[in-house]
């Protein structure tokens, strides 16, 4: 079954993405059925199809997804529920030119399917999917400035962030954040989940996840207990734990 | 009536006319004014070094003292122009050296400057006073040594964002003891070390030094000694601010800063300690009119906010997006005289806690004098742009870069046509505009209709059809530079009004839909244009078939004909 139009397109894409992998897909605008799915590491340039399970309750699909660690959408054999940009019945356009920026294809495809309610936007703004790195000269920052930034990136406080169930870890620079709210917001965006609000008594009540960190002593602590500056200097790595596992750390779920 | 005045009188009147445009107009009035104007012209600006030959320039303006040259197209800043495309300054310096021009000032932007050219420059003009290099490359500290050693009356050496190879030759020590004329020295972009002793002595013997910008190799204690020697400094670029807050050096610096009452412009902080506090600077902040912290990568947003609260007189602010929307709100409350704002991304793809449309709206509400903006952000909305347009009708430069190039309105998911449309409709003096985000042909319709003063337009990943480009070419009568990348504009747009390009300085189109055949046809019709195609991606020696899509095209009007220094991969049609 293939559902493409209108608000009936469920957020299953994001649903199982939530549980599974930290990935580079951003889904936004749920309420009007507009799905924005950005492609992460497309295996080849020039292809812009997503194969996604569209049905909400297809647990087998979910299991499939989990076991295959969905990142490269092309590896999933789900032609029947293929979600792609292109008029029904067409295949991808043959391209004459040798080097085509992924984003150029995007433009083409978007024009063709302007009636459809699905629109594909370029990669999410939080992290750096390789596809974005392939766009030469974007964002338009002078190379001199870009090089200087990279040099001083050595000044950052980079920590690994793992999430239970995710196939690979991420890294973030704690220096970029002014306090816990920004950090949590960034984690929420990066991993497509909600962490909720911190309370001293109850931890992160009401959320499926609890952010924890390993401190200098090797202990696993709940994020938010100590002042931000102290946290930045003592945090060695972050781990987004399933709430069920985080009970001992004061998570109220 | 003016014909009855002797030439000397007319010359005297012309002395009061300084701007290039006005002088250009004067020269067109009549033959005798043309003659007088060319003999009295001292400053010339050449926006495209390939538009004219140096010999022709010298023939017309023998009294030339100051020359400004720009080389590579603007998109070269973003690595879109291949290496060694051109823009060499040597032929210009050689020609000027051969002539009897008494060159005193040379300002170059995006040009290739070799050590040879710098050496020739330093030896050829006795009264040479000022060298300004912006975004140039090709030289090393050896070239700088030649300038330092040979330009006896040097007043200004200003190096901005150049790629300079460090040859560890102690170039700064090459300023002779007799050199006491320095007014401005900027070497912030150099990566290598300089002799601190030589630097301090140079500052000590330069009583007219008003502007000094250090590189990151100059440590805090040296900074303190330098500031002691130059309390008259108005413009300071701090190199390294790395310090131990308890150290004597830092305490000394804090006291020295209190004495620098003339400082109105501050920049640098290229190296800072972790959790750096800028409290030492607070005492001079109320005097600052210009603050550039866009390279101060180590300073936290919270610290920036604390600093900005003191900067009540600020007119120009260049800052990183870690200041956040909240920080921009503080800027809006504090900096009521703000005219120019640039917000740069603190990480190449942005910082999740960075700025959005909210920060820009806050600024527009608090800073009515704002006329120049460069804003890198994560998202924008039409509503915000409409508000900004209403609050700030005085924009001359409006450059918005949404890091996600195709992002629509973050609230409504609509293209940002209406927002930018509001900007051009409200800001009737707009001269420069850069677009980003999801945009259809509609935005170009608005630009063509309303942007009457627009001179430069930068477009990326926008539009739907040739109509978009045509709206702009037809509507913007004052357009001089148009640069387009990754847009669906093709041959029809390119060829509909070929005469237009002679009224413009240049057109850049990359990753669009124009073909070789169309470019050839354009070049044929317009002999006064150089139409260059770059095909650096082609491995084989291709024959340039007409139907082939052009990856990069750069065309410009010129009196110099085809240039002879183009590399192999550039075809001038």
């Amino acid at each position: 079954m293939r559902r493409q139009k209108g608000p009936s397109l469920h957020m299953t894409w994001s649903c199982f993405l939530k549980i599974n992998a930290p990935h580079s897909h951003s889904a936004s605008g749920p309420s009007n059925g507009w799905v924005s799915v950005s492609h992460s590491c497309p295996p080849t340039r020039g292809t812009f199809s997503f194969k996604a399970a569209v049905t909400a309750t297809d647990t087998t699909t979910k299991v499939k997804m989990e076991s295959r660690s969905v990142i490269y959408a092309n590896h999933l054999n789900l032609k029947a529920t293929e979600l792609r940009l292109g008029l029904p019945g067409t295949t991808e356009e043959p391209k004459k030119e040798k080097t085509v920026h992924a984003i150029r294809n995007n433009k083409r495809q978007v024009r063709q399917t302007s009636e459809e309610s699905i629109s594909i936007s370029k990669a999410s703004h939080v992290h750096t999917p390789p596809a974005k790195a392939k766009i030469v000269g974007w964002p338009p920052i002078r190379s001199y400035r870009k090089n200087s930034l990279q040099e001083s990136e050595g000044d950052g406080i980079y920590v690994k962030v793992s999430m239970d169930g995710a196939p690979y870890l991420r890294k973030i620079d704690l220096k970029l954040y002014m306090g816990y709210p920004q950090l949590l917001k960034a984690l929420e965006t990066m991993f497509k989940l909600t962490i909720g609000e911190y309370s001293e008594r109850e931890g992160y009540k009401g959320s499926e996840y609890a952010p924890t960190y390993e401190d200098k002593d090797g202990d696993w602590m709940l994020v938010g207990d100590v002042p931000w500056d102290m946290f930045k200097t003592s945090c060695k790595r972050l781990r987004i734990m399933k709430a069920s596992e985080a009970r001992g750390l004061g998570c109220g779920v | 009536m003016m014909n009855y005045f002797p030439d000397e009188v007319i010359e005297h009147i012309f002395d009061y006319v300084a701007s290039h445009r006005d002088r250009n107009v004067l020269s067109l009035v009549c033959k005798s004014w043309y003659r007088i104007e060319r003999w009295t012209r001292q400053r010339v600006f050449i926006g495209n070094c390939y538009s004219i030959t140096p010999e022709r320039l010298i023939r017309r303006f023998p009294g030339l003292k100051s020359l400004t040259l720009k080389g590579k197209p603007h998109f070269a800043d973003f690595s879109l122009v291949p290496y060694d495309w051109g823009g060499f300054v040597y032929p210009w310096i050689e020609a000027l050296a051969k002539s009897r021009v008494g060159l005193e000032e040379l300002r170059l932007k995006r040009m290739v400057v070799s050590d040879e050219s710098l050496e020739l420059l330093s030896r050829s003009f006795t009264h040479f006073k000022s060298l300004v290099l912006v975004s140039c490359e090709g030289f090393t500290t050896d070239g700088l040594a030649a300038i330092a050693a040979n330009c006896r009356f040097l007043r200004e050496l200003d190096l901005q964002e150049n790629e300079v190879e460090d040859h560890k030759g102690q170039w700064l020590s090459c300023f002779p003891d007799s050199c006491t004329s320095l007014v401005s020295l900027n070497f912030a972009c150099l990566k290598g070390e300089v002799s601190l002793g030589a630097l301090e002595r140079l500052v000590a013997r330069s009583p007219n030094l008003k502007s000094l910008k250090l590189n990151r190799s100059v440590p805090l204690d040296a900074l303190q000694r330098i500031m002691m020697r130059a309390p008259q400094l108005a413009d300071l670029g701090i190199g390294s601010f790395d310090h131990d807050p308890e150290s004597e050096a830092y305490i000394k610096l804090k006291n020295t800063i209190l004495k620098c009452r003339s400082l109105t412009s501050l920049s640098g902080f290229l190296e800072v300690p972790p959790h750096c506090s800028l409290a030492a600077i607070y005492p001079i902040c109320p005097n600052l009119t210009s603050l550039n912290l866009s390279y101060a990568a180590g300073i936290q947003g919270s610290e920036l906010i604390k600093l900005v609260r003191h900067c009540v007189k600020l007119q120009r602010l260049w800052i990183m997006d870690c200041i956040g929307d909240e920080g921009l709100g503080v800027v809006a409350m504090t900096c009521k005289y703000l005219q120019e704002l640039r917000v740069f991304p603190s990480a190449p793809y942005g910082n999740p806690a960075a700025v959005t449309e909210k920060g820009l709206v806050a600024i527009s509400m608090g800073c009515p004098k704002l006329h120049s903006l460069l804003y890198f952000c994560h998202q924008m909305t039409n509503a915000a742009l409409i508000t900004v347009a209403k609050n700030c009708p005085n924009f001359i430069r409006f450059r918005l870069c949404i890091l996600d190039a195709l992002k629509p309105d973050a609230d409504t998911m609509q293209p940002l046509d209406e927002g930018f449309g509001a900007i051009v409709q409200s800001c009737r003096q707009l001269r420069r505009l850069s677009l980003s985000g999801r945009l259809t042909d509609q935005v170009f319709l608005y630009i063509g209709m309303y942007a009457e003063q627009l001179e430069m337009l930068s477009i990326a990943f926008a539009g739907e059809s040739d109509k978009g480009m045509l709206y702009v070419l037809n509507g913007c009568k004052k357009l001089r530079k148009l640069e387009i990348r990754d847009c669906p504009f093709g041959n029809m747009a390119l060829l509909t009004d070929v005469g237009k390009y002679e009224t413009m300085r240049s057109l850049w189109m990359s990753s669009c839909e124009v073909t070789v055949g169309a470019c050839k046809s354009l070049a044929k019709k317009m002999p006064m244009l150089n139409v260059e195609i770059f095909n650096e991606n082609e491995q084989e020696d291709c024959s340039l078939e007409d139907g082939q899509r052009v990856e990069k095209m750069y065309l410009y009007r010129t009196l110099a004909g085809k240039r002879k220094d183009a590399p192999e991969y550039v075809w001038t049609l």
Side-chain angles (χ1 to χ4, degrees), chain B residues 310-324:
Chain B
H310 299 265
C311 300
V312 288
K313 281 213 205 130
L314 218 53
Q315 293 172 14
R316 183 160 78 136
L317 176 64
W318 291 26
I319 204 145
M320 295 186 109
D321 64 2
C322 46
I323 196 174

Side-chain angles (χ1 to χ4, degrees), chain B residues 272-315:
Chain B
V272 297
H275 313 292
C276 174
S277 158
L278 296 175
I281 312 292
Y282 297 168
I284 47 164
C285 285
N287 298 332
L288 292 181
T289 55
S290 168
L291 179 63
N292 179 359
L293 294 176
S294 64
Y295 282 100
I299 301 183
Q300 311 270 43
S302 51
E303 202 50 47
L304 292 176
I305 294 177
K306 283 196 228 154
L307 182 78
V308 156
R309 285 194 206 278
H310 299 265
C311 300
V312 288
K313 281 213 205 130
L314 218 53
Q315 293 172 14

Side-chain angles (χ1 to χ4, degrees), chain B residues 280-396:
Chain B
I281 312 292
Y282 297 168
I284 47 164
C285 285
N287 298 332
L288 292 181
T289 55
S290 168
L291 179 63
N292 179 359
L293 294 176
S294 64
Y295 282 100
I299 301 183
Q300 311 270 43
S302 51
E303 202 50 47
L304 292 176
I305 294 177
K306 283 196 228 154
L307 182 78
V308 156
R309 285 194 206 278
H310 299 265
C311 300
V312 288
K313 281 213 205 130
L314 218 53
Q315 293 172 14
R316 183 160 78 136
L317 176 64
W318 291 26
I319 204 145
M320 295 186 109
D321 64 2
C322 46
I323 196 174
D325 284 334
E326 187 199 328
L328 291 179
V330 174
V331 172
M333 271 193 330
T334 315
C335 309
K336 292 304 180 188
Y337 302 103
L338 197 68
Q339 295 175 19
E340 179 184 337
L341 174 67
R342 295 196 188 191
V343 180
F344 292 96
S346 47
Y349 297 102
N351 160 14
V355 299
T356 68
E357 77 278 5
K358 300 186 181 58
L360 186 58
V361 169
I363 291 282
S364 75
M365 289 190 344
C367 308
K369 294 189 189 253
L370 195 66
H371 60 59
S372 291
L373 179 75
L374 172 61
Y375 196 75
F376 285 86
C377 59
H378 277 291
Q379 62 184 49
M380 189 49 56
T381 64
N382 285 310
L385 285 173
I386 292 169
T387 306
V388 169
K390 237 190 305 197
N391 293 337
C392 291
N394 299 319
F395 273 118
I396 304 175

Side-chain angles (χ1 to χ4, degrees), chain B residues 486-529:
Chain B
D486 293 90
C487 295
F489 303 144
N491 298 340
M492 206 259 286
L494 182 71
L495 295 175
T496 297
D497 180 9
V498 294
K500 174 77 176 173
Y501 306 125
E502 256 187 17
T503 70
M504 292 167 54
R505 184 189 298 174
S506 63
L507 168 67
W508 167 282
M509 289 180 80
S510 61
S511 303
C512 296
E513 305 287 333
V514 292
T515 64
V516 172
C519 293
K520 280 186 182 166
S521 144
L522 173 59
K524 213 169 169 190
K525 284 189 204 155
M526 303 292 296
M528 299 296 262
L529 300 178

Side-chain angles (χ1 to χ4, degrees), chain A residues 87-170:
Chain A
L87 295 173
T90 60
T91 49
E92 283 164 22
E93 291 179 22
K95 297 279 180 294
K96 252 173 131 190
E97 46 282 357
K98 292 180 189 168
T99 55
V100 181
H101 290 144
I103 207 166
R104 271 197 46 78
N105 277 351
N106 180 31
K107 278 293 330 174
R108 289 219 163 129
Q109 307 271 34
V110 168
R111 269 185 287 132
Q112 283 178 340
T113 59
S114 52
E115 294 88 51
E116 303 194 283
S117 61
I118 302 156
S119 123
I120 303 287
S121 80
K122 215 46 196 90
S124 113
H125 41 77
V126 173
H127 29 261
T128 66
K132 199 150 203 169
K134 286 179 187 163
I135 302 173
V136 178
W138 193 268
I141 306 172
R142 256 188 201 165
S143 351
Y144 175 83
R145 189 176 283 279
K146 247 186 190 154
N147 295 339
S148 300
L149 268 183
Q150 265 142 33
E151 273 163 31
S152 29
E153 240 162 50
D155 295 333
I157 307 173
Y158 281 90
V159 295
K160 291 184 188 171
V161 188
S162 63
M163 186 170 103
D164 292 354
Y168 61 82
L169 280 61
R170 303 300 305 267

Side-chain angles (χ1 to χ4, degrees), chain B residues 141 166 168-175 185 187 190 192-203 205 214-215 217-219 222 225-226:
Chain B
T141 47
D166 180 46
K168 305 195 189 335
Q170 301 299 354
W171 64 276
L172 200 86
S173 313
C174 295
F175 280 106
L185 178 63
F187 61 94
L190 296 189
E193 293 183 356
V194 294
S195 155
L196 297 176
L199 175 61
E200 287 170 45
R201 288 191 296 277
L202 179 62
V203 171
R205 64 176 185 274
L214 310 169
N215 75 349
S217 78
V218 180
R225 290 193 292 273
I226 287 165

Side-chain angles (χ1 to χ4, degrees), chain B residues 209-501:
Chain B
L209 192 68
K210 283 279 181 310
S211 169
L212 179 64
K213 294 184 185 161
L214 310 169
N215 75 349
R216 55 175 55 194
S217 78
V218 180
L220 197 94
D221 55 325
L223 170 68
Q224 186 269 329
R225 290 193 292 273
I226 287 165
M227 287 175 80
M228 282 293 282
R229 302 241 196 216
Q232 78 283 3
L233 273 180
D235 179 10
L236 175 67
I238 289 178
S240 170
F241 198 63
D242 201 359
H243 61 271
D244 174 0
E246 320 278 307
S247 67
E248 201 185 310
Y250 184 60
I251 295 166
K252 263 186 168 171
L253 179 72
K254 281 203 281 190
N255 291 329
T256 307
I257 287 175
L258 291 173
K259 299 200 178 86
C260 293
R261 288 283 144 198
S262 337
L263 271 182
T264 54
S265 170
L266 190 62
S267 60
F269 294 89
L270 308 175
E271 283 201 4
V272 297
H275 313 292
C276 174
S277 158
L278 296 175
I281 312 292
Y282 297 168
I284 47 164
C285 285
N287 298 332
L288 292 181
T289 55
S290 168
L291 179 63
N292 179 359
L293 294 176
S294 64
Y295 282 100
I299 301 183
Q300 311 270 43
S302 51
E303 202 50 47
L304 292 176
I305 294 177
K306 283 196 228 154
L307 182 78
V308 156
R309 285 194 206 278
H310 299 265
C311 300
V312 288
K313 281 213 205 130
L314 218 53
Q315 293 172 14
R316 183 160 78 136
L317 176 64
W318 291 26
I319 204 145
M320 295 186 109
D321 64 2
C322 46
I323 196 174
D325 284 334
E326 187 199 328
L328 291 179
V330 174
V331 172
M333 271 193 330
T334 315
C335 309
K336 292 304 180 188
Y337 302 103
L338 197 68
Q339 295 175 19
E340 179 184 337
L341 174 67
R342 295 196 188 191
V343 180
F344 292 96
S346 47
Y349 297 102
N351 160 14
V355 299
T356 68
E357 77 278 5
K358 300 186 181 58
L360 186 58
V361 169
I363 291 282
S364 75
M365 289 190 344
C367 308
K369 294 189 189 253
L370 195 66
H371 60 59
S372 291
L373 179 75
L374 172 61
Y375 196 75
F376 285 86
C377 59
H378 277 291
Q379 62 184 49
M380 189 49 56
T381 64
N382 285 310
L385 285 173
I386 292 169
T387 306
V388 169
K390 237 190 305 197
N391 293 337
C392 291
N394 299 319
F395 273 118
I396 304 175
R397 294 171 206 96
F398 190 88
R399 296 156 69 187
L400 184 69
C401 177
I402 302 169
L403 291 161
D404 186 344
L406 285 172
K407 197 155 188 193
D409 180 319
D411 292 338
T412 65
M413 303 311 170
Q414 294 299 304
L416 289 168
D417 302 332
E418 298 305 311
F420 281 106
I423 294 285
V424 293
Q425 201 176 348
S426 164
C427 306
R428 303 322 285 256
Q429 301 304 312
L430 195 69
R431 297 206 301 251
R432 183 170 179 183
L433 178 64
S434 298
L435 307 171
S436 60
R438 174 72 57 81
L439 296 163
T440 71
D441 285 345
Q442 185 71 11
V443 71
F444 300 112
L445 175 66
Y446 290 142
I447 292 173
M449 262 169 57
Y450 296 112
E452 289 168 352
Q453 303 298 322
L454 195 67
E455 296 177 6
M456 182 169 177
L457 179 61
S458 309
I459 310 172
F461 306 106
E464 298 162 305
S465 75
D466 286 333
K467 282 200 281 193
M469 185 167 163
L470 285 172
Y471 290 142
V472 171
L473 291 175
N474 291 337
C476 299
K477 300 297 176 202
K478 296 210 178 167
L479 195 65
R480 290 190 298 118
K481 288 181 280 182
L482 180 58
E483 46 186 25
I484 305 172
R485 66 163 292 180
D486 293 90
C487 295
F489 303 144
N491 298 340
M492 206 259 286
L494 182 71
L495 295 175
T496 297
D497 180 9
V498 294
K500 174 77 176 173
Y501 306 125

Side-chain angles (χ1 to χ4, degrees), chain A residues 27 32 41 45 48 56 107 137 226 229 243:
Chain A
N32 58 11
C41 349
R45 270 192 185 178
F48 217 96
K107 278 293 330 174
V226 304
D229 281 340

